[in-house]
Amino acid sequence: MDQPARDATQDYVAWFRNSSPYINAHRGRTFVVMISGEAVQEPGFHHIIHDLALLNSLGIRLILVHGARPQISARLSAQNIYTRFERHTRITDAAALEAALDAVGAVRLRIEGLFSMGLANSPMHNASIQVVSGNFVIAKPVGVRDGFDYQHTGEVRRVQVDAIRRQLDDGNIVLLSPIGCSPTGELFNMNSEEVASTTAIAMKADKIIYLGEDTGVVDADGRLVREISPQEAGQLLAREIIQNPTTERQLTAACHAASNGVARAHLVNFREDGALLRELFTRDGCGTLVTRENYENVRGAYIEDVGGILELIEPLEAAGALVRRSRERLEAEIKRFTITERDGMVIGCAALYPFNDGQSGEIACVAVHPDYRNADRGRKLLEHLEKRARSQGIHTLYVLSTLTAHWFQEQGFAPIPVDELPGERKSLYNYQRNSKVFRKQL
Ligand SMILES: CC(C)(COP(=O)(O)OP(=O)(O)OC[C@H]1O[C@@H](n2cnc3c(N)ncnc32)[C@H](O)[C@@H]1OP(=O)(O)O)[C@@H](O)C(=O)NCCC(=O)NCCS
């Protein structure tokens, strides 16, 4: 039997290992995924369904919201029905509502059908996923605005949070459509992007992901914007830089979600095979992230960060740059660590070990992930530790280093003989490792 090339196998193993922190980070979280009507029409749409099924098997609580705009338009034009748009919103008259019900029903059933696939040679073999649709979104009429009666066009009045939560608790995927029912029993055609953002806010979702036609948001110079705050995105929208109307609607809704408690709103291209998985399971993803949060911050470490720190330092230990630390030791010493966190991932760390004299301490385990070096992160970690040291009354810092002598010198540390280490540390000095010793007065 042919063996796969060794490199390919190793790539796969490395990829699988690298994704494990994300798998842990995402498990038990609630994600709302908005699937545009355009995505449903794509020939590769079943791949997106397979990826969503995978997310469900990894323990992510999924609420899907589908659109049906092109499908509704196709039905209307087949019947020669003209509908008017006001402020990017379709005015749904009785004929248009019939077309919308027809299109939405067809799209919803198509999605349910794809989730039921279980052929032995498909990624969904043995998956047995329950998709639950229903009257989870209560609608109200948009009404008459600026003299225009929007008729059967509606907006979200309320999301049945508890009912959705019960389905998610049972491991089901909840599928929402852009048709909502009112307490009077009428049906309303709604904006699917708004259904998604309102649901994400009501459910206190951890993420909302819009699968759209663009790779993400592109700035005035044509460059992909990897991360943007709702304020900055608002400026792009106001300057009419976003060309694609679907992307514009998605970005508007993403900003609304991000400004109302949804920590992360992603825009991802459905045409890129695997884009959803790349966005969720790789360090830098491939779309645009709208977030109010400081995407990267330096903070004290918690016990939950142990896995991420180990992930970061193990290759450096293997290369001899850092002294080996076991998981048990790290767990016991976690309070001494400061980390740089980026979108939930540990990309830098450093530790401060106070000596018994209460006035001096040792800086150790300073590391920044190779992909993120030379951007001042090491210096900021050190600054954070120095501040921490001062607050504990420590005014002399020592560091032992084999490979990073010059870097520490540039941070204000001066070389000293081993003999000048405080007694308790000198007795533990490893002469075989032969580290250089540095000191800095704060
Ligand atoms: C040392 C380390 C933490 C620096 O992280 P960083 O985020 O890149 O640091 P900064 O951005 O603040 O500093 C980068 C500068 O330091 C320099 N630098 C990095 N490593 C260096 C080294 N080993 N020796 C000398 N200079 C070094 C870079 O060239 C850069 O200088 P430049 O801006 O003039 O080009 C990182 O390189 C690392 O993790 N190294 C491996 C682990 C290690 O050896 N840790 C120390 C043991 S306690």
Side-chain angles (χ1 to χ4, degrees):
M1 203 177 96
D2 283 349
Q3 291 291 326
R6 191 168 156 70
D7 278 356
T9 316
Q10 280 175 336
D11 282 355
Y12 170 75
V13 170
W15 170 83
F16 204 29
R17 283 184 180 147
N18 288 339
S19 41
S20 60
Y22 297 93
I23 295 175
N24 292 329
H26 296 330
R27 188 180 300 117
R29 307 273 180 193
T30 303
F31 293 1
V32 173
V33 181
M34 150 89 215
I35 306 167
S36 61
E38 288 82 2
V40 179
Q41 291 181 330
E42 255 321 88
F45 180 55
H46 60 282
H47 291 307
I48 293 176
I49 295 290
H50 293 163
D51 292 347
L52 290 167
L54 175 63
L55 300 186
N56 173 258
S57 11
L58 293 174
I60 295 169
R61 296 155 67 86
L62 277 184
I63 303 166
L64 309 181
V65 181
H66 74 82
R69 209 165 277 119
Q71 291 83 353
I72 297 173
S73 297
R75 279 165 175 77
L76 290 172
S77 64
Q79 296 171 52
N80 288 321
I81 300 172
Y82 167 79
T83 52
R84 184 183 182 127
F85 279 80
E86 281 302 326
R87 299 178 180 191
H88 301 297
T89 303
R90 194 193 303 269
I91 295 186
T92 316
D93 59 17
L97 180 65
E98 281 309 309
L101 295 179
D102 188 24
V104 165
V107 170
R108 196 177 96 184
L109 289 169
R110 168 131 199 268
I111 295 175
E112 289 178 1
L114 286 170
F115 272 110
S116 308
M117 252 182 0
L119 295 178
N121 60 353
S122 91
M124 311 231 334
H125 185 47
N126 285 337
S128 178
I129 289 168
Q130 296 306 309
V131 182
V132 180
S133 318
N135 55 345
F136 294 112
V137 179
I138 308 300
K140 62 181 180 193
V142 168
V144 180
R145 288 192 191 167
D146 299 331
F148 295 106
D149 183 353
Y150 283 73
Q151 304 181 48
H152 301 285
T153 302
E155 54 194 22
V156 179
R157 174 169 172 179
R158 194 172 63 247
V159 176
Q160 306 280 45
V161 172
D162 291 338
I164 294 180
R165 197 170 288 138
R166 279 196 294 275
Q167 295 301 331
L168 298 177
D169 289 345
D170 281 350
N172 299 333
I173 294 179
V174 173
L175 175 62
L176 304 180
S177 298
I179 296 285
C181 328
S182 74
T184 55
E186 286 168 83
L187 296 173
F188 289 93
N189 179 25
M190 298 183 293
N191 172 324
S192 45
E193 289 83 6
E194 190 208 321
V195 174
S197 60
T198 315
T199 304
I201 295 165
M203 295 300 300
K204 299 191 169 48
D206 301 282
K207 272 187 199 295
I208 184 165
I209 302 159
Y210 287 92
L211 294 176
E213 287 177 312
D214 285 336
T215 298
V217 175
V218 171
D219 67 13
D221 301 321
R223 281 186 306 247
L224 174 71
V225 181
R226 250 312 280 147
E227 187 204 334
I228 195 167
S229 69
Q231 293 75 13
E232 290 164 330
Q235 286 162 11
L236 285 184
L237 287 165
R239 285 161 60 205
E240 298 186 348
I241 285 170
I242 315 294
Q243 299 294 322
N244 182 315
T246 306
T247 309
E248 188 186 335
R249 268 191 288 262
Q250 293 186 340
L251 185 60
T252 307
C255 290
H256 177 59
S259 306
N260 287 280
V262 181
R264 294 179 169 87
H266 302 253
L267 267 64
V268 175
N269 187 345
F270 62 74
R271 292 215 171 90
E272 246 175 77
D273 188 24
L276 179 62
L277 299 183
R278 277 176 59 202
E279 182 71 12
L280 293 174
F281 296 98
T282 61
R283 268 185 203 275
D284 275 323
C286 59
T288 293
L289 170 66
V290 184
T291 179
R292 255 177 90 175
E293 278 183 6
N294 191 349
Y295 184 53
E296 189 174 312
N297 69 329
V298 178
R299 61 164 173 83
Y302 307 116
I303 196 79
E304 296 77 26
D305 300 315
V306 167
I309 298 176
L310 276 173
E311 195 81 29
L312 169 72
I313 63 177
E314 272 168 357
L316 295 166
E317 291 174 352
L322 298 178
V323 178
R324 206 168 278 281
R325 277 174 177 74
S326 65
R327 177 179 279 271
E328 293 69 30
R329 179 169 168 206
L330 206 58
E331 282 173 0
E333 295 176 348
I334 193 68
K335 288 217 174 89
R336 308 206 185 292
F337 276 76
T338 286
I339 61 161
T340 308
E341 182 190 29
R342 184 178 167 88
D343 197 14
M345 299 293 300
V346 179
I347 60 157
C349 71
L352 169 68
Y353 292 84
F355 291 147
N356 289 335
D357 63 9
Q359 296 175 357
S360 57
E362 179 181 346
I363 298 277
C365 204
V366 185
V368 172
H369 188 278
D371 290 353
Y372 296 96
R373 289 191 187 154
N374 299 332
D376 253 7
R377 293 188 173 91
R379 191 182 58 72
K380 283 186 188 146
L381 275 166
L382 209 56
E383 243 174 46
H384 195 273
L385 281 189
E386 290 178 4
K387 217 159 118 190
R388 221 166 146 173
R390 277 193 210 95
S391 72
Q392 295 173 21
I394 293 172
H395 47 75
T396 309
L397 287 178
Y398 294 87
V399 70
L400 278 71
S401 175
T402 49
L403 303 174
T404 327
H406 283 187
W407 187 78
F408 283 109
Q409 278 175 273
E410 281 171 24
Q411 313 304 322
F413 284 79
I416 55 163
V418 178
D419 273 353
E420 290 185 28
L421 268 175
E424 64 182 281
R425 184 64 182 87
K426 199 161 60 182
S427 60
L428 294 174
Y429 183 81
N430 180 341
Y431 283 90
Q432 237 175 348
R433 193 168 162 79
N434 197 22
S435 307
K436 295 201 163 56
V437 182
F438 299 87
R439 183 168 53 204
K440 180 174 182 178
Q441 300 295 348
L442 296 177

